[in-house]
Amino acid sequence: MSSESGSMHPRSGDDLVERISLQPADDAVVGQAANDLLAELSAGYPVENIGRLLHSDDDVCVSTGTWLLSELGDRAGPMMGEMPALLAHPLRQVRFFAVEVVLMNAGSQHGAVLAQTLELSRDPEAAVRWKVLRFLAGATVAQLAAGAEQLPAGAVRELTEWLISQETGQVDPREVATRLGGHDPTTRLFAAAAAARLAGSDRALLERAAVAEDEEIRSFAAARLR
Amino acid sequence: MDTPPFIGELAQLIGVDVLDVHSDNVAADAGAVSAAVPGLASVADGADSTMDRATDGYEGESATALAENWQGVGGGLRQTAATMNVLPPVVNGFASVASAAKVAEITQLVSLASVMKAALGAGAVGAGVAASRMAVTRAAVQRIKHTFERGVATRLTPAVDRITLRLEELGEKAAGPRGGLGNPALAGAGGRVSPYAGRLPETAAGAERGGTRMGMRWGKKDETGKFHGDLPRTTNDMTEKEKRRIQKDLEDSIRTREEEEAWLGHSDAGHRRRMEDERKALGMIKEDFNEQ
């Protein structure tokens, strides 16, 4: 849905990147320019050119650039090299949208980035954990396996391997239910992901997740049950 | 490579892009389908061994994925055989564009599409029956979703989810009185309804209007739950099916974006603007329906 951004002529992708970079504090400018830029990207403007926003010292530019990548779905692959920095960014909305970029673009060769994403299951921000839960529920087994391989020995690796086993081995719904009610929040998060992945054959687990003590799990499960 | 009419028809039915072409696998696909379909159609109970034979000629990852998936779906295969009367022509069409590892998934999709269309033809009772059957199919599809690598699977499974959800909604409103497999409109010998019967002329007309559609004119909801890609600015040239699909996608997308906004406590300017644009597009489609 490209528009003319207030001028008589559509702006080029470079112009739009420039406009966001020069006026990051102006919401009206950034909102319009970001969406025009999204249209440009859809039309073939090289996604690599978003790098200027991602490398900016301005938080709005970085956040807008990451959001743009998340809006590209599975066409943000060329920017996977930027993910380590974005997943570790101090702004939670940057980490939030970066998780989505990983979900849609990471392959088996991106084990390190996938591992970093899995580690965010322990992010201090509930919003990020909520996004990671969506990642855990939607990631392919290959993505999870590639990430697990790169994780150091420890809880997140064990939980990831357990989640994979829910796909590849014998499923014990009682174990998922027990984990949903466990004491460790990360264990509950992975159990909720398992509940979502198994919801095709057993919605009772998701219903149980919908009354979990963690808001991000309750919210996630309730939405899946709608 | 020309897109067989069945492909466009099924893709449109489930609201996804036409499948990618993997020309290297064309010959293998044809072999797999011709080996598998006759066995499946006639001996559903022996389907596992049939698939074993069908996969004998493959090597590598795709063969493993296909074999594992087939074992995983198990009863889903036999359930699929209930709608087998429509499978051969459709699968033969798919065989020219789909890779071998995707045959199992396509079979499930054909089954879903068949059930959906048959249910629509059978009215409310059929919808209830279809919803019951979906419970079985969902398990298979769920497993498929996580079995295959990205590609076709990631494009198709959200569509399957939507179909399944819609059928469940219908099922809740009209529970089938005879249980899952008893509806002759869906599964009974001699009483089955081919969802593709009589639809080819419409497909051909669609192809003439829009040419071979290797991509959608507008975006769609992907597995992030959000609508990604171009938003429609007009409903001109949009079929009723497309309008309904886009309406549902936009409603889901806006809901997801609102959830994101709630979690973050705010939206960046770009995200806010996108939400506004999606709401406008949704309003346009709703208004269009109201005017009809």
Side-chain angles (χ1 to χ4, degrees), chain B residues 34-170:
Chain B
S34 60
V37 170
L40 295 176
S42 59
V43 196
D45 287 341
D48 286 346
S49 59
T50 303
M51 274 314 297
D52 286 344
R53 289 197 300 277
T55 55
D56 276 351
Y58 294 111
E59 294 177 355
E61 195 172 330
S62 66
T64 305
L66 178 59
E68 287 179 353
N69 180 68
W70 214 265
Q71 287 176 1
V73 300
L77 182 58
R78 282 177 280 282
Q79 171 255 340
T80 297
T83 51
M84 195 54 68
N85 63 319
V86 301
L87 189 55
V90 178
V91 173
N92 281 331
F94 264 112
S96 64
V97 295
S99 70
K102 293 161 189 162
V103 170
E105 179 178 45
I106 288 162
T107 305
Q108 291 292 330
L109 286 166
V110 170
S111 172
L112 287 170
S114 303
V115 170
M116 181 176 73
K117 289 296 293 178
L120 293 176
V125 172
V129 172
S132 300
R133 291 180 53 140
M134 282 298 103
V136 177
T137 307
R138 278 175 65 91
V141 171
Q142 190 73 14
R143 192 166 288 276
I144 291 168
K145 183 187 294 184
H146 299 298
T147 299
F148 292 118
E149 286 285 357
R150 296 207 174 284
V152 169
T154 57
R155 297 182 186 189
L156 295 186
T157 47
V160 172
D161 285 345
R162 283 200 298 278
I163 293 170
T164 307
L165 184 63
R166 178 64 185 141
L167 283 166
E168 286 176 347
E169 289 168 357
L170 287 170

Side-chain angles (χ1 to χ4, degrees), chain B:
Chain B
M1 180 182 295
D2 292 336
T3 302
F6 286 113
I7 305 305
E9 171 63 14
L10 185 58
Q12 189 180 37
L13 186 69
I14 59 180
V16 297
D17 288 339
V18 172
L19 300 176
D20 291 336
V21 175
H22 294 273
S23 55
D24 292 343
N25 292 321
V26 168
D29 293 341
V33 173
S34 60
V37 170
L40 295 176
S42 59
V43 196
D45 287 341
D48 286 346
S49 59
T50 303
M51 274 314 297
D52 286 344
R53 289 197 300 277
T55 55
D56 276 351
Y58 294 111
E59 294 177 355
E61 195 172 330
S62 66
T64 305
L66 178 59
E68 287 179 353
N69 180 68
W70 214 265
Q71 287 176 1
V73 300
L77 182 58
R78 282 177 280 282
Q79 171 255 340
T80 297
T83 51
M84 195 54 68
N85 63 319
V86 301
L87 189 55
V90 178
V91 173
N92 281 331
F94 264 112
S96 64
V97 295
S99 70
K102 293 161 189 162
V103 170
E105 179 178 45
I106 288 162
T107 305
Q108 291 292 330
L109 286 166
V110 170
S111 172
L112 287 170
S114 303
V115 170
M116 181 176 73
K117 289 296 293 178
L120 293 176
V125 172
V129 172
S132 300
R133 291 180 53 140
M134 282 298 103
V136 177
T137 307
R138 278 175 65 91
V141 171
Q142 190 73 14
R143 192 166 288 276
I144 291 168
K145 183 187 294 184
H146 299 298
T147 299
F148 292 118
E149 286 285 357
R150 296 207 174 284
V152 169
T154 57
R155 297 182 186 189
L156 295 186
T157 47
V160 172
D161 285 345
R162 283 200 298 278
I163 293 170
T164 307
L165 184 63
R166 178 64 185 141
L167 283 166
E168 286 176 347
E169 289 168 357
L170 287 170
E172 286 170 4
K173 293 175 183 169
R178 286 179 289 173
L181 297 175
N183 189 325
L186 293 171
R192 289 171 289 193
V193 178
S194 168
Y196 301 95
R199 295 189 61 82
L200 284 180
E202 182 187 327
T203 303
E208 281 178 15
R209 187 182 67 245
T212 301
R213 291 177 57 185
M214 291 304 289
M216 305 293 287
R217 284 172 288 177
W218 308 282
K220 61 180 183 295
K221 187 183 78 172
D222 61 24
E223 59 189 353
T224 67
K226 291 181 284 188
F227 193 100
H228 286 153
D230 291 340
L231 291 165
R233 284 178 288 179
T234 173
T235 55
N236 294 343
D237 280 343
M238 207 184 272
T239 66
E240 293 299 299
K241 209 175 295 177
E242 285 170 328
K243 271 188 272 188
R244 278 193 292 275
R245 193 269 298 176
I246 293 173
Q247 180 180 345
K248 177 71 166 61
D249 280 5
L250 287 172
E251 287 170 345
D252 291 348
S253 177
I254 291 166
R255 195 180 305 125
T256 301
R257 291 181 188 280
E258 287 171 345
E259 276 188 278
E260 290 183 339
E261 188 175 55
W263 272 107
L264 290 172
H266 76 287
S267 280
D268 285 355
H271 197 213
R272 276 202 307 278
R273 177 63 189 241
R274 176 69 185 193
M275 289 170 76
E276 287 172 21
D277 288 345
E278 290 193 359
R279 288 186 182 115
K280 282 179 191 168
L282 177 61
M284 174 188 69
I285 292 172
K286 284 184 170 176
E287 191 175 330
D288 189 83
F289 276 127
N290 289 337
E291 288 174 357
Q292 289 179 352

